[in-house]
Amino acid sequence: NALTVPTTIHLALTTDPTEMMVQFSTGGDDGASIPIVVYDTDEDLVKNGGNTNTNTNISAGLQFQTGNSTTYQATDMCQQPATLEEPGKFSSPGMLHSIVMKDLDPNKTYYYKVGILYRDGNFTTTTNDDGKNSSNIDMDKVLWSDVNAFESPLPSSNGELSSQEPFTFIVYADQGVMGYGNDDGGDRTSLWMKEEIELNNIRSI
């Protein structure tokens, strides 16, 4: 249910090679909730939410971050018809969430899932003596996405790649629209992308 469960999940690099930004959306939210991501190189740890014994804590071994939420209204648009709140005109995007995953080791496969802790759930964070965060969270109050994966950036030094390992990526301008172009536009583009990823070891898009 896209009204409550995270959807349209996207990743983006930042200017820091030890980071990866994740963005997603939900609907039916007044902005009082907290977007959360948990991530680790251990897929099972992420699947279990960080603690296999209880539903209340994120374990110290599982990395997590919280983020920010925003949205826009018809009144934020430039002109008609985008400013008109009627069928076929302005369409609400729901809530738009952004979180930055930090302290990534280079060239590793990371597993992650994003979630929304709604305001009836509790979330507290404390900083330990070693500088790391620990948390207490109502895990059963979080609506999680499925577990996804990504490859962390290659190692760098002073903003320059320090690794000579070659890598391949895809750049394209337009996903296309269903019902237009060759074989339903957007669907066909997705099939081409899937084929490229499987055949040519694509690292990023």
Side-chain angles (χ1 to χ4, degrees):
N1 185 344
L3 288 177
T4 53
V5 176
T7 187
T8 62
I9 300 170
H10 292 78
L11 294 173
L13 296 171
T14 74
T15 56
D16 187 332
T18 67
E19 296 179 346
M20 184 72 75
M21 177 180 286
V22 58
Q23 298 172 304
F24 61 98
S25 63
T26 53
D29 180 10
D30 61 5
S33 57
I34 301 174
I36 299 173
V37 61
V38 293
Y39 56 103
D40 200 85
T41 55
D42 185 332
E43 183 177 10
D44 289 334
L45 193 62
V46 175
K47 285 182 177 179
N48 292 324
N51 193 312
T52 58
N53 299 318
T54 73
N55 285 327
T56 58
N57 296 310
I58 297 177
S59 76
L62 182 63
Q63 293 172 275
F64 76 95
Q65 300 289 339
T66 59
N68 300 307
S69 304
T70 188
T71 190
Y72 57 88
Q73 309 293 335
T75 53
D76 298 315
M77 308 305 287
C78 295
Q79 60 187 32
Q80 295 185 14
T83 56
L84 300 177
E85 296 188 75
E86 58 186 64
K89 309 302 181 183
F90 176 78
S91 180
S92 172
M95 293 302 299
L96 310 174
H97 313 283
S98 298
I99 317 173
V100 176
M101 292 177 274
K102 301 179 179 181
D103 301 319
L104 302 176
D105 291 328
N107 203 23
K108 298 283 188 181
T109 299
Y110 275 85
Y111 300 91
Y112 73 98
K113 62 183 178 182
V114 294
I116 288 292
L117 174 67
Y118 285 95
R119 57 182 173 180
D120 59 341
N122 294 314
F123 177 67
T124 58
T125 301
T126 57
T127 302
N128 302 326
D129 293 338
D130 60 4
K132 294 184 178 180
N133 289 339
S134 62
S135 70
N136 186 291
I137 182 173
D138 290 338
M139 294 291 280
D140 58 347
K141 297 290 187 180
V142 179
L143 294 172
W144 293 106
S145 70
D146 292 334
V147 174
N148 298 294
F150 66 90
E151 299 292 323
S152 60
L154 294 169
S156 67
S157 177
N158 297 321
E160 300 292 334
L161 284 177
S162 57
S163 171
Q164 298 301 310
E165 179 182 349
F167 64 94
T168 305
F169 60 94
I170 294 175
V171 177
Y172 69 101
D174 196 331
Q175 177 74 21
V177 179
M178 186 174 180
Y180 294 87
N182 295 329
D183 299 320
D184 287 331
D187 289 346
R188 186 59 180 171
T189 301
S190 296
L191 291 174
W192 283 334
M193 298 282 282
K194 182 175 184 294
E195 183 176 304
E196 285 290 327
I197 291 170
E198 293 173 347
L199 294 179
N200 295 309
N201 193 29
I202 301 299
R203 186 179 186 89
S204 61
I205 299 171

